[in-house]
Amino acid sequence: MSARTTTRRATVLGATVTLALLAVAGCGGSPSGIPSGTASSDASSGASSGAAADHLTATDPWIKAAESGMTAAFAVLHNDGDQDVTVVGATSDLSRVELHEMATDDSGAMVMRQKEGGLTIPAGGEHALEPGGDHLMLMELSAPVQAGAEYDVTLELSDGSTLVVTAPARTFAGAKESYDEGHDEGHDMSHDG
């Protein structure tokens, strides 16, 4: 066997191994188990490998369809990092967005209010945004939120990184929630049934 043939075989073998490694690496690059909607990190490239957004994913994101006024967005946020991640704000082209919680006021009534200190997702854990619990409140809608359409909500994290979550809108009557149009801090949350 000539030196030229040996070099050619080594080059072909090296290229094959490189392609196989790239294919394997490509398979592990996206989060799995996201039944609807997507999430992607907008953290800066380069030295941002430790950005909080790199460790945060959102599964089953969705927004309650609404014609006007206000509505809410939900998801389960997963932190695969070794440090807590805190969502300190959110933005959307649809509306002004606030982080909200459900709580019992001094009279024993359930009220929805802005969540102080943000939403913390523990290291290696998750935090559910769900009807009747913590959620993203979309206020002063600029247009109707149509069932079946998808909308982006950008989560702002305490380290300055962001995570864009694409969420489909859907009709939801489960908790029979209706949001008071005259929203003020600590407004009542009414349940129809």
Side-chain angles (χ1 to χ4, degrees):
M1 189 179 302
S2 72
R4 188 175 184 178
T5 303
T6 304
T7 302
R8 190 175 296 145
R9 284 185 179 173
T11 302
V12 170
L13 179 60
T16 303
V17 169
T18 300
L19 287 174
L21 289 174
L22 287 173
V24 169
C27 291
S30 64
S32 61
I34 299 179
S36 62
T38 58
S40 63
S41 170
D42 272 355
S44 321
S45 59
S48 68
S49 63
D54 293 341
H55 300 285
L56 193 64
T57 56
T59 57
D60 197 24
W62 63 282
I63 299 173
K64 182 179 177 183
E67 287 298 314
S68 63
M70 59 181 66
T71 190
F74 311 99
V76 178
L77 302 177
H78 302 270
N79 176 3
D80 69 3
D82 57 6
Q83 294 184 14
D84 293 354
V85 171
T86 302
V87 178
V88 294
T91 60
S92 173
D93 290 341
L94 281 173
S95 69
R96 182 167 56 93
V97 182
E98 290 183 357
L99 308 177
H100 277 209
E101 67 180 347
M102 293 297 298
T104 305
D105 69 7
D106 293 339
S107 70
M110 286 299 289
V111 294
M112 184 184 346
R113 64 183 180 207
Q114 197 163 359
K115 188 163 179 73
E116 298 297 325
L119 304 167
T120 299
I121 302 88
E126 64 183 39
H127 187 92
L129 303 178
E130 57 192 358
D134 291 346
H135 57 279
L136 302 176
M137 196 76 214
L138 283 70
M139 305 165 66
E140 302 165 5
L141 292 172
S142 60
V145 177
Q146 302 290 331
E150 292 187 338
Y151 303 92
D152 288 344
V153 177
T154 301
L155 303 180
E156 300 168 342
L157 309 180
S158 60
D159 71 343
S161 63
T162 59
L163 179 75
V164 177
V165 179
T166 302
R170 62 185 187 209
T171 304
F172 178 74
K176 307 244 188 225
E177 296 173 335
S178 62
Y179 304 110
D180 178 4
E181 291 294 328
H183 172 71
D184 286 320
E185 191 68 24
H187 70 283
D188 287 338
M189 182 73 177
S190 62
H191 294 275
D192 299 330

